[in-house]
């Protein structure tokens, strides 16, 4: 008999409240401060190129990043043809990340309620997760982390249910959530692999039948496998590369090489990752050990689902150790829900887990009569809440938080650092894309014909996001980009926008075709303008007018 889950009546108000809060913070950062994240803005530009460029086609979204964050923005980006402010300030990406992170809050709350935690514990842990400064920031800035956290926590919840109910519906939804997580971030492969092994092991332990273990494992792995095959095959058919993230000059490997990021490996890299996890979730080690101990004592299978976020953390640590990623705090954000859920599982199980159709081997949820579980749970909740100021302080540290420390200048502008050079750097980070917005406004004011300006979007993505006339630009996703670049005059190109031929600019398409274009115009252009960039680590632009062939 079907029964309604007890958390549903409370889910909608909680979701709306959290989404409104994250959206409000995002609007303040974007419109009030002008502080935008480059990765979020680049996805906005890619989506705009797919819809509103002079050569619109869905493949213009690109194959460097998995596509879900961009695809989710399509309806709002389409409106930017009439309201360009939606993309100029990255509002379309914020409209995706805010409800996604609110969905993660609802899932955490649902896990606690289905565990039958007490009301005070449920709401304090929900608040501890929702109000964590990294959760707030990544719910508000339009990055892919919000969707990723939502899908992973959703998968954890469904696997928690499956370990008790043996309901195939929970297993199907968990697999679907992991497949969507892969279409959001590549890190999901670690979670899917772990979930597959976990499900197969639990199914074999219960049934002692290899066929059941294999089928259950395949059920949870199938959506991710399908997403991987379809995405890689599509990339290979269109670009000639199945894994553009690693082979393209726009991919992560190329960016690391061009910018000198990554780590040298060894104990120093491991220590850095450990420090990032500690400041993200200060009580994780202590609460995690207690959680494992209690689960073993109670013979409780539900905490096994926490191996999924743990696998994501291990993947992030290994990737940085191998020099494959940047030293960014956000790569360890999954430690926040991991800590909160460890605290949830300190509480003893109560009552029967409701299921749509319980499987043949459900597990009874026996109560734990121990008197000391309530004090332990209270201490864990206190540890979660007490760790929030530690994480907030870490986010303002240039050593621990390269991407977020400029928030100090955005949120606490009157409380300056003793080091004026660091203060200027933070202000430049906040102003990262001001120059590109001014360039877009200037070129818009010229009333140019479609296809009059050619540039690479490696550094020019903020211009595509900001312009009111994206059809003015010839960009690498246009199918005639190479022929137009080879003979700009013959294809109606009036201007070339160039960046210095160094660092990331060394992979710029214009510099690859005309190595001296930035220095001397390569003999067929005249310098129209040079625009010194006010942003941190952003290039000085040169606008060249085509005068010959």
């Amino acid at each position: 008999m079907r029964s309604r889950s007890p958390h549903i009546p409370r889910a909608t108000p909680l979701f709306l409240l959290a989404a409104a809060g994250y959206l409000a913070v995002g609007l303040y950062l974007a419109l009030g401060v002008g502080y935008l994240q480059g990765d979020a803005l680049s996805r906005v530009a890619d989506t705009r190129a797919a819809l509103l460029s002079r050569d619109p086609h869905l493949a213009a979204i690109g194959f460097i990043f998995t596509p879900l964050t961009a695809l989710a923005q399509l309806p709002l980006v389409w409106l930017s043809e009439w309201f360009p402010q939606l993309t100029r300030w990255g509002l379309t990406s914020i409209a995706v990340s805010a409800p996604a992170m609110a969905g993660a809050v609802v899932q955490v709350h649902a896990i606690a309620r289905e565990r039958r935690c007490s009301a005070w514990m449920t709401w304090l842990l929900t608040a501890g997760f929702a109000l964590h400064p990294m959760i707030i920031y990544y719910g508000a800035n339009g990055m892919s982390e919000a969707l990723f956290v939502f899908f992973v926590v959703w998968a954890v919840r469904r696997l928690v249910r499956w370990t008790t109910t043996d309901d195939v519906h929970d297993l199907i939804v968990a697999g679907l959530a992991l497949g969507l997580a892969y279409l959001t971030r590549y890190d999901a492969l670690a979670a899917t692999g772990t979930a597959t092994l976990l499900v197969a092991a639990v199914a074999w332990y219960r049934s002692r039948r290899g066929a059941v273990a294999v089928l259950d494992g395949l059920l949870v792995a199938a959506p991710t496998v399908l997403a991987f095959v379809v995405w890689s095959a599509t990339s290979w058919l269109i670009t000639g590369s199945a894994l553009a993230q690693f082979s393209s000059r726009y991919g992560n490997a190329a960016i690391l090489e061009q910018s000198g990021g990554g780590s040298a490996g060894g104990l120093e890299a491991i220590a850095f990752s450990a420090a990032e996890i500690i400041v993200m979730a200060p009580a994780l080690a202590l609460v995690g050990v207690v959680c494992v101990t209690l689960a073993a004592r109670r013979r409780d299978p539900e905490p096994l689902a926490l191996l999924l976020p743990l696998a994501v953390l291990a993947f992030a640590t290994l990737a940085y150790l191998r020099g494959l990623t940047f030293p960014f705090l956000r790569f360890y954000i999954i430690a926040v829900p991991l800590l909160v859920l460890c605290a949830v599982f300190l509480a003893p199980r109560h009552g029967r887990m409701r299921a749509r159709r319980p499987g043949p081997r459900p597990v009874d949820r026996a109560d734990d009569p121990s008197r000391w579980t309530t004090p332990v749970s209270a201490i864990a909740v206190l540890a979660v809440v007490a760790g929030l100021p530690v994480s907030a302080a870490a986010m303002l540290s240039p050593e621990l938080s390269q991407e977020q420390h400029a928030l100090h200048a955005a949120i606490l502008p009157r409380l300056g650092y003793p080091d004026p050079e660091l203060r200027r750097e933070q202000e430049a980070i906040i102003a990262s894309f001001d120059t590109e917005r001014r360039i877009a406004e200037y070129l818009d004011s010229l009333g140019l014909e479609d296809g009059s300006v050619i540039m690479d979007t490696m550094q020019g993505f903020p211009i595509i996001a900001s312009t009111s006339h994206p059809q003015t630009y010839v960009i690498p996703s246009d199918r005639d980009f190479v022929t137009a670049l080879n003979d700009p005059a013959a294809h109606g190109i009036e201007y070339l926008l160039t960046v210095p031929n160094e660092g990331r600019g060394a992979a710029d398409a214009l510099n690859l075709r005309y190595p001296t274009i930035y220095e001397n115009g390569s003999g067929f252009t005249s310098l129209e303008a040079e625009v010194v960039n006010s942003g941190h680590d952003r290039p000085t632009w040169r606008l060249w007018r085509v005068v010959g062939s």
Side-chain angles (χ1 to χ4, degrees), residues 86-370:
L86 288 173
T87 56
R88 183 172 300 154
W89 299 103
L91 303 184
T92 59
S93 63
I94 298 170
V96 171
S97 67
M101 197 63 88
V105 173
V106 169
Q107 293 301 318
V108 167
H109 184 76
I111 293 172
R113 283 186 56 78
E114 290 173 342
R115 182 76 176 181
R116 300 297 195 274
C117 292
S118 60
W120 68 266
M121 185 176 182
T122 297
W123 284 107
L124 281 177
L125 288 177
T126 301
F129 174 75
L131 298 178
H132 191 285
M134 281 290 283
I135 296 299
I136 293 174
Y137 182 57
Y138 280 90
N141 66 10
M143 298 277 278
S144 62
E145 274 70 21
L147 271 174
F148 181 70
V149 169
F150 166 63
F151 288 131
V152 171
V153 176
W154 187 19
V156 167
R157 179 189 168 208
R158 286 296 178 165
L159 283 183
V160 167
R161 292 178 54 83
W162 175 80
T163 58
T164 296
T165 66
D166 198 32
D167 186 348
V168 70
H169 296 92
D170 289 323
L171 205 57
I172 291 171
V173 175
L176 177 63
L178 290 169
L180 292 172
Y182 170 75
L183 291 176
T184 305
R185 290 189 63 87
Y186 292 108
D187 313 44
L189 289 175
T192 300
T194 301
T196 303
L197 295 175
L198 170 64
V199 168
V202 172
W204 182 87
Y205 177 79
R206 289 177 178 174
S207 66
R208 302 295 176 175
R209 295 171 60 189
V212 173
V214 170
L215 287 175
D216 282 358
L218 288 176
L219 194 61
V220 78
T224 301
V225 172
L226 179 63
F228 177 85
V229 170
V230 171
W231 180 243
S232 300
T234 304
S235 176
W236 177 74
L237 288 171
I238 294 176
T239 69
S241 173
L243 299 172
Q245 176 74 297
F246 304 101
S247 60
S248 171
R249 61 189 172 90
Y250 299 104
N252 191 68
I255 294 173
L256 279 166
E257 182 179 353
Q258 295 155 10
S259 60
S263 74
L267 292 177
E268 184 178 351
I270 296 176
F272 176 82
S273 294
E276 299 288 82
I277 294 171
I278 290 171
V279 299
M280 189 73 74
L284 179 58
L286 177 61
V287 177
V289 168
V290 177
C291 177
V292 170
T293 302
L294 287 179
R297 178 182 178 275
R298 297 165 175 164
R299 302 180 64 83
D300 182 0
E302 293 181 7
L304 289 172
L306 297 184
L307 291 173
L308 273 66
L310 188 62
V312 174
L313 277 183
F315 177 84
T317 302
L318 179 61
Y320 185 66
L321 177 64
R322 297 289 302 276
L324 301 176
T325 58
F326 289 93
F328 291 161
L329 184 61
R330 61 185 168 95
F331 292 151
Y332 307 90
I333 192 172
I334 204 67
V336 179
L338 178 58
L339 168 61
V340 173
L341 294 179
C342 282
V344 166
F345 288 117
L346 295 184
R349 298 178 295 169
H350 293 293
R352 181 180 296 275
M353 178 79 78
R354 297 185 181 184
R356 175 173 299 186
R357 186 179 299 167
R361 291 169 291 274
V363 177
D364 291 332
R365 306 182 80 193
D367 294 345
D368 186 341
S370 301

Side-chain angles (χ1 to χ4, degrees), residues 439 442-443 446 448 452-455 463 473 494-499 517-518 525-531 540-546:
I439 291 174
Y442 170 72
L443 292 173
L446 298 181
L448 299 172
S452 296
V453 182
I454 191 168
M455 70 173 182
I463 296 174
Y473 300 86
E494 296 184 48
Y495 295 99
L496 288 81
L497 262 173
T498 65
V499 297
I517 185 72
Y518 186 81
T525 63
S526 64
L527 184 61
E528 185 79 5
E530 179 176 273
V531 187
T540 294
W541 291 90
R542 286 182 179 176
L543 180 66
W544 299 87
R545 180 190 289 271
V546 176

